[in-house]
Amino acid sequence: MSDLFGGDTRVAPTERRPSRSRGRAKEQRERKRRRRRSIWVLVVAALMVAGAAYVVIELMGGLFQGAQGSDGGVDDYSGIGHGSVQVVIKPGDSGADMAATLAEAGVVATPKAFKDAFADNPQAASIQPGTYNMLLEMKASDAVIALLNPTSRVSFKLGIPEGLTKDQIATKISEKMAVPIEEVQAAIADPAAIGLPAEAGGNAEGWLFPATYDIEPDATPASVLAQMTAQTVAVLTQKGVPQDQWQTVLNKASMVEREARLAEDRPKVARAIENRLDKEMPLSTDSAVAYGLGKPGTGLTTADTQDASNPYNTYKFLGLPPTPIASPGTASIDAVLSPAEGPWLFWVTVNLDTGETLFATTYDDHLANVALLRAWQDENSG
């Protein structure tokens, strides 16, 4: 068909150019490859960060949270602890007993942690019974160290020296515990409250064992006195003293305690007492007479030794005094149980400063020794 204007109406063939749809597809494939590379880079980076975080947690996390147990719980705390709690370590507690007590109180994370720390510390076996101020959530090894530190203990010590009477002991307890003396005296007068054995006949004299005692915060005079009587029973039992001889042994030992100043003299005084009893001689012990009168032995007069109204006057009455006259220590009890061999019937301390004591078999020799005492007194009267 001819163009109206006479031109050629055929269309020339078009050039062969790249398809637009194919270009777009290629571009999309490239973007996908780049996106996949980015994702893998992010995954690898994330894995590296996670691994590093895991190492940090394993190495340093315990500083804050403690070591993790197999069940996800804390096996042991690693921090210094916080807060405060009191725990009681009982007499005879083993490391396992302490571990259970501390774990229950929240001091250590697990009993196992403390038992391991206890086993690793060679001094742990010397942990003493008592009440302790402890921190919460402590490292187990630190808990062992705290229990070994005397400043951690809440309890205080009460020292009772040998040779005190029950009234003197009552005064010491009153002063140390800051309780009225009447409260202590009432406890002493209650045999059941202090666990006094029937052999004592209701009188605590001689049964309050001299030693150093740990006094807990909630202790009462009765509980402290019960410790003392229990210790006397324990000592007599350990030494194999028949129960029906307990009072007799304490009675003799109390006189040995008050009559002998030096350790080497105790078995000799014990023998002299036995010799006098065997011969049915008056014991003539100034300490017993003085006890009955409530005065020092050095203050006795001749009239005092003739006073028949005093049941403790061993110059007037044969045999042992009605009760012990003081609390004897182990050395005096041992002296009574194993007295020295010898014929002595008399003894006298000739130097009141050093405690030097001379022994005699005859009354004349004894008078000569007494003269030495009088000479010493004259020289030191000023």
Side-chain angles (χ1 to χ4, degrees), residues 61-69 73-79 107-114 116-117 137-143:
L63 293 176
F64 309 99
Q65 299 298 329
Q68 297 294 316
V74 177
D75 276 344
D76 190 11
Y77 299 118
S78 298
V107 175
V108 297
T110 61
K112 180 181 182 302
F114 183 84
D116 290 345
E137 299 187 352
M138 298 179 70
K139 188 175 182 180
S141 58
D142 291 341

Side-chain angles (χ1 to χ4, degrees), residues 62-208:
L63 293 176
F64 309 99
Q65 299 298 329
Q68 297 294 316
S70 58
D71 61 354
V74 177
D75 276 344
D76 190 11
Y77 299 118
S78 298
I80 61 173
H82 63 88
S84 179
V85 65
Q86 286 190 351
V87 296
V88 177
I89 303 300
K90 299 176 183 177
D93 271 2
S94 64
D97 295 328
M98 297 179 200
T101 297
L102 294 171
E104 184 177 352
V107 175
V108 297
T110 61
K112 180 181 182 302
F114 183 84
K115 285 188 286 187
D116 290 345
F118 186 95
D120 290 341
N121 192 318
Q123 297 182 355
S126 63
I127 293 174
Q128 298 296 306
T131 300
Y132 291 81
N133 279 327
M134 303 290 285
L135 299 175
L136 293 166
E137 299 187 352
M138 298 179 70
K139 188 175 182 180
S141 58
D142 291 341
V144 174
I145 293 172
L147 291 175
L148 288 167
N149 188 346
T151 62
S152 299
R153 297 184 68 180
V154 179
S155 55
F156 58 90
K157 294 186 180 297
L158 171 65
I160 303 297
E162 294 85 350
L164 296 188
T165 66
K166 64 181 181 182
D167 289 339
Q168 291 170 321
I169 292 173
T171 298
K172 278 192 167 292
I173 293 174
S174 173
E175 293 172 349
K176 192 70 174 181
M177 297 184 68
V179 297
I181 185 66
E182 293 80 12
E183 185 177 340
V184 185
Q185 291 170 336
I188 289 178
D190 188 346
I194 64 174
L196 194 65
E199 289 73 20
N203 192 329
E205 194 67 86
W207 285 86
L208 307 177

Side-chain angles (χ1 to χ4, degrees), residues 100-336:
T101 297
L102 294 171
E104 184 177 352
V107 175
V108 297
T110 61
K112 180 181 182 302
F114 183 84
K115 285 188 286 187
D116 290 345
F118 186 95
D120 290 341
N121 192 318
Q123 297 182 355
S126 63
I127 293 174
Q128 298 296 306
T131 300
Y132 291 81
N133 279 327
M134 303 290 285
L135 299 175
L136 293 166
E137 299 187 352
M138 298 179 70
K139 188 175 182 180
S141 58
D142 291 341
V144 174
I145 293 172
L147 291 175
L148 288 167
N149 188 346
T151 62
S152 299
R153 297 184 68 180
V154 179
S155 55
F156 58 90
K157 294 186 180 297
L158 171 65
I160 303 297
E162 294 85 350
L164 296 188
T165 66
K166 64 181 181 182
D167 289 339
Q168 291 170 321
I169 292 173
T171 298
K172 278 192 167 292
I173 293 174
S174 173
E175 293 172 349
K176 192 70 174 181
M177 297 184 68
V179 297
I181 185 66
E182 293 80 12
E183 185 177 340
V184 185
Q185 291 170 336
I188 289 178
D190 188 346
I194 64 174
L196 194 65
E199 289 73 20
N203 192 329
E205 194 67 86
W207 285 86
L208 307 177
F209 196 81
T212 298
Y213 295 91
D214 290 313
I215 309 302
E216 301 300 327
D218 60 348
T220 64
S223 68
V224 172
L225 291 163
Q227 279 185 269
M228 296 180 182
T229 56
Q231 184 62 23
T232 297
V233 171
V235 169
L236 294 173
T237 301
Q238 181 207 4
K239 294 183 179 298
V241 180
Q243 191 164 340
D244 62 357
Q245 293 296 308
W246 285 357
Q247 180 78 344
T248 299
V249 168
L250 291 176
N251 204 331
K252 294 175 180 177
S254 70
M255 285 189 290
V256 171
E257 190 70 60
R258 296 302 292 267
E259 292 285 328
R261 293 273 300 278
L262 304 178
E264 60 266 26
D265 291 334
R266 296 181 193 277
K268 296 174 74 174
V269 170
R271 172 53 66 191
I273 289 173
E274 292 295 340
N275 289 342
R276 280 179 166 264
L277 291 173
D278 290 343
K279 291 179 178 294
E280 296 187 349
M281 294 174 60
L283 292 178
S284 301
T285 50
D286 289 351
S287 56
V289 178
Y291 174 85
L293 296 174
K295 63 191 300 185
T298 55
L300 288 183
T301 65
T302 301
D304 290 334
T305 64
Q306 300 303 310
D307 182 3
S309 67
N310 177 6
Y312 289 84
N313 188 346
T314 52
Y315 283 85
K316 299 295 290 184
F317 303 107
L318 292 176
L320 296 172
T323 70
I325 60 174
S327 288
T330 302
S332 293
I333 293 174
D334 287 341
V336 169

